[in-house]
Each structure stands twice: as structure tokens, then as C-alpha cells.
Amino acid sequence: MSAAEIAAAVRSGALRAVDVVAESLARIRRAEPELRAFVEVWGEEALRRAAEVDTRVAAGERLPLAGVPIGVKGRRRGLRTAAPLIEAGCVAVGATSVPGPGTPWQTWGLGAYGRTVNPWRADRTPGGSSAGSAAAVAAGLVPLATGSDGAGSVRIPAAWCGVVGLKTTNTDRAGLTAPGVLAGCAADAAAYWQVMAGERRPPSDPPTVTADSSADTTRHIPTTTPTDTTRHVPTATATSPTDTACDGSTSRTDTDSLSPALTAAWSPDLGFAALDPDLGAIARTAAQRLAVAGVVRLVGAAPHLEDPASAWLTLRTPGADPTPAHRIRAENDRRLDALFADVDLLLTPTTPNPPHGHEGPGDRYSTALTWAFNLSGHPAISIPAGFDADGCPVGLQLVAARGREALLLGVAREAEGRAGLRVIPVPGG
């Protein structure tokens, strides 16, 4: 069940939070020896917290995320960050894995049982540093998990595990890191954002998505069917007007729900990244599907940015002279500001490469297409774009002007409902 479905059922009394959390803990116990997505599981505490949620619901509280089990990145510090979600009714079931010591690269995780594996390919990494959060959501252990994104640490594992990953606008550009979430669908990511942005109402039918949207603009998800069940490489099918929505309601497809003025520029490489051609083709096809479905109108070409690698590394190096980094950041800010003055969205592949093996990425930066937006502060979301020939998920990154998370989430929801770009459950998960 999605987070929105769980919350609606708990609020109505159809489910108890205690039972929902107990089922999540049972799934974790079954999966963890192989998946290794958690460093700690808080079983007794989670059940106690779930009982408290049931008590609050029985007392008449309308908790927007009542009884939703979540994974938390960052152990007890992560719990502090997740405090608004817990106040809204979420129940933290454990701390998710992050990279361990000994490697300069961060696209992996170390759980209590060892290295976290990609739910789609155990011989590949799930990405990182929000490794366990992405793996746990993809494997169906929890519908939501928190993350943090300093260079792509939410978006990269979202892409490689085939889930939705939102990086929010950087409020502290000096630190480069922004909060984020890993989710099984865009509506659940929107529920996270609604709570974190300070809205306490339960999710309801959203308004129309337009180029000027500033509210929660989510809609519905279609069903999809794998075309090759031996390799689990899925192809999305058309949605039915009566498909069940991610929030548990029945929704119709509204082909007029997006403004025709919503525009997007496509860039395969931002002007500097070395892109795997097959992966680029999959992401490009996903962008075209958005256009064909009327979700966006592709216009023009995106500007070339200066490669942010040296700037990002300099700003993370104590004692380094930041002057060259500030020059690159200012120039890219200028180019991106000019872009978003003309278009609503920038579309790119989320990563230039597919998930690498557990031995590491070699000399490639998997962050090549993501860390520019940690430097610039723009919000960005990775949504599923498809699967490569090896059965590994590929992500499509959507970037918007600062503060426009709601627009990203609304487009992501329309991408699910109208273009078929949605999360596919891991077989056997």
C-alpha cells in the first residue's frame, strides 16, 4: 500500500497503525539478511509509537500520515530531521544504511548485515548516500524513507532503484546539502513535502497543474506491466480511466489538467557530462513521452553549464581557496536563472551511467548531472524513465526554479498517470 492509502485507512479505522507497522517490521525481517537496507531496526519502539498513533486517531486527530511506516536516514539525528513527519503520524521503523568507511565514493550503503544491494540486481549498488532508504522503498519494506542530498544522494539511488526521489530547494547554499525523500510514487512524495512545508491537512484532490502552480499538484498512477518477465524489464501500458490512484481513490485521466504553456528544455549532458549512450536514449524517450502525453511542451535547447566538479570539490575541502568555485557557481547561476526565466522545467538523465558493481564506479562521477543543482540550490526530482538492457532502472531528472517543489511533484504525478512513467514493484518484493 502507498503512504496515502495507509494513512486514509488508519484515519477511517479500517486499519490500525499497530498492524501496519507490524507488517512492515515483518517484511524487514524477511528481507534484511539479503537486502541489508537497515543499520538499526526499532521494532519495540516502533510498535509503541504506532499504538500512540492509534490513540491519537481514536481521539479525533486528523493525522495526514497516520500510521505510515518510514525509514530514516541518519539514525537518531535523522529522527530529529523527521520530527514533522512523526508529528503527522508517521512511525519510524529503523535507520537506513549509508556508506561505510574506506571509500572516497559514496554511491553505496553498509547495513547491519553488510553492503546494501540493489533490489533489482544484487550484484549492483543501490546508489547513495541514501542507499538504504532507496532500497527499502523499492523492495516494498516501507512506502517512504527520508534522505539528504549533497551531490545527488537522493536522486541517484532513486534512479538506480527505480523509485521517486525529491531533493528540495537548498536553504543553506554554503552547505550544499538539502533534505529529501524516497517514495514509491509522486503522491507520496507530495504528502512528505506537504508536511515538511508546514501543511497539516490530510491529502485531498489537488488543483490543476499549470506553469504557475505553487500548491500540491498531484494526480493519479496507472498500472504497468512487465513485457519480459524473465528479465523483469518493464514497459508501461496505457492507464484506464478507473485505475486506483496512489492515494487510494479512483481517479479519471484528465487530459486537460496541464496548462499547454508548461514548457521544458531537454539536455542530455548539461554541456559537459560523459553520458552512456544507451542510458541517454532511455531518458530522452521518457522526456518525449511526457511531451506526447501533453504533460510538457519541449522547447529549444538547454544552456551549457560549466562543469561544477571542481567547484563542488573545492567547497567541500577545508582550507581550499573558494574563489574559483564561487566564479563557477555565479556563472552557472546566471545561466540557470536565464533558462528558468523562459521555461518551467529542465529535463536531464539523472545519472550519466547505470548502477555500478560493489567494487566502485571507477573514474566516473555518477554525480555529474546532479551536483550542479546542489551548487545552484534548485529543487530536483528523479522519476522512473525505464530499464536498460541489463534490467537496471534508469531515472529522468526534472529541475525547476527555486521554491517550486509543488510544480515538480505535480508534473511527476502527471508523468505517472498520463505518460506511464511510474515505479514498478520489484518482482517478489
Side-chain angles (χ1 to χ4, degrees), residues 19-408:
D19 295 329
V20 173
V21 170
E23 288 184 13
S24 176
L25 291 169
R27 289 193 297 271
I28 292 170
R29 283 194 297 272
R30 290 192 297 269
E32 264 306 271
E34 289 77 34
L35 188 65
R36 307 158 197 165
F38 285 86
V39 291
E40 295 177 0
V41 177
W42 304 321
E44 290 185 7
E45 183 177 350
L47 291 171
R48 180 175 62 81
R49 294 285 188 180
E52 291 175 358
V53 169
D54 285 327
T55 299
R56 294 171 67 189
V57 169
E61 284 196 63
R62 293 281 292 167
L63 301 175
L65 291 173
V68 174
I70 60 169
V72 173
K73 179 183 180 181
R75 300 195 184 193
R76 299 296 163 171
R77 181 179 179 182
L79 275 176
R80 291 193 295 272
T81 303
L85 299 173
I86 294 169
E87 176 61 23
C90 285
V91 178
V93 296
T96 55
S97 67
V98 296
T103 68
W105 45 282
Q106 297 291 294
T107 44
W108 66 292
L110 182 62
Y113 290 93
R115 285 181 180 257
T116 309
V117 303
N118 190 307
W120 288 95
R121 287 277 304 257
D123 61 336
R124 305 291 179 91
T125 175
S129 61
S130 305
S133 289
V137 170
L141 307 187
V142 290
L144 282 176
T146 63
S148 57
D149 191 312
S153 293
V154 164
R155 290 161 288 161
I156 292 168
W160 288 356
C161 290
V163 298
V164 175
L166 172 70
K167 168 210 168 290
T168 59
T169 300
N170 290 67
T171 56
D172 176 14
R173 292 183 63 193
L176 302 179
T177 300
V181 69
L182 288 302
C185 64
D188 283 355
Y192 158 90
W193 176 243
Q194 183 174 300
V195 168
M196 297 303 285
E199 298 181 45
R200 290 273 299 160
R201 60 182 175 82
S204 60
D205 288 339
T208 298
V209 182
T210 70
D212 295 322
S213 291
S214 59
D216 182 356
T217 51
T218 54
R219 285 197 188 272
H220 89 273
I221 289 184
T223 55
T224 59
T225 305
T227 56
D228 180 351
T229 56
T230 61
R231 293 175 56 206
H232 311 302
V233 181
T235 300
T237 61
T239 182
S240 161
T242 58
D243 281 338
T244 300
C246 187
D247 62 5
S249 64
T250 301
S251 174
R252 66 181 179 84
T253 301
D254 182 356
T255 56
D256 297 321
S257 60
L258 280 177
S259 164
L262 195 64
T263 54
W266 161 259
S267 176
D269 55 12
L270 296 178
F272 57 82
L275 178 68
D276 179 286
D278 292 337
L279 186 150
I282 293 167
R284 172 66 178 177
T285 297
Q288 291 171 332
R289 285 172 64 173
L290 292 178
V292 169
V295 178
V296 300
R297 180 165 55 90
L298 294 174
V299 295
H304 287 193
L305 301 182
E306 293 199 28
D307 188 341
S310 62
W312 190 95
L313 293 168
T314 295
L315 293 176
R316 281 294 182 96
T317 302
D321 178 8
T323 304
H326 291 328
R327 185 198 62 77
I328 292 173
R329 170 182 262 178
E331 179 57 26
N332 281 348
D333 279 356
R334 184 188 66 78
R335 297 180 190 184
L336 288 168
D337 288 346
L339 173 70
F340 288 119
D342 292 333
V343 302
D344 299 295
L345 297 166
L346 170 62
L347 311 181
T348 79
T350 305
T351 65
N353 56 308
H356 55 74
H358 295 287
E359 71 283 355
D363 58 359
R364 298 191 74 172
Y365 280 121
S366 303
T367 54
L369 295 169
T370 51
W371 54 7
F373 307 111
N374 296 89
L375 281 165
S376 70
H378 291 84
I381 192 169
S382 179
I383 64 173
F387 287 69
D388 68 14
D390 290 330
C392 294
V394 175
L396 176 68
Q397 177 174 231
L398 287 64
V399 187
R402 299 179 192 92
R404 304 202 71 187
E405 284 86 351
L407 179 63
L408 289 176

